[in-house]
Amino acid sequence: MVQLIVGNKGKGKTKQLLERVNTEIKSASGNMVYLDKSSKHMYELNNKVRLIDVSTYPLRNSNEFIGFVYGIISQDHDLEAMYLDSFLKIACLEGQDVTDTLEQLKKIGDLFHITFTISISLEEKDIPESMKECIVVSL
């Protein structure tokens, strides 16, 4: 499953994402991972959430990012949810079409029963038509 938090930069998407993860960890039965472009939000996250600073890994494109996600999943059979902040940056998709990568994440989520909650700096009108049903917050 994919859930999208959409809106332009500076609209409060990260705050929404942090509130979601910190609320949902309280009732989670599995593990949760938070991917970000830095470790800046480390102290805002519940200590049960694993923070991964994606910038420390030399990812060059969205295909490598998808491989990175598969690697995380393969190491944690109790993974329940992944939260992706600054999606365009961490997935190497700035200025590119996000359709294929979002659809791949949707398939991965369905296959491994993982919920992906993604903060993406795009307006609702710029989200691919096939993914509009996944929008949970539009800022």
Side-chain angles (χ1 to χ4, degrees), residues 33-48:
V33 173
Y34 190 96
L35 302 182
D36 203 352
K37 64 183 177 193
S38 71
S39 57
K40 176 172 120 177
H41 300 293
M42 179 187 323
Y43 299 109
E44 296 172 67
L45 282 171
N46 183 301
N47 65 353
K48 293 178 183 170

Side-chain angles (χ1 to χ4, degrees), residues 78-93:
D78 293 325
L79 189 60
E80 181 176 313
M82 291 183 76
Y83 297 82
L84 287 61
D85 197 8
S86 304
F87 178 70
L88 296 177
K89 182 139 183 96
I90 65 172
C92 306
L93 285 168

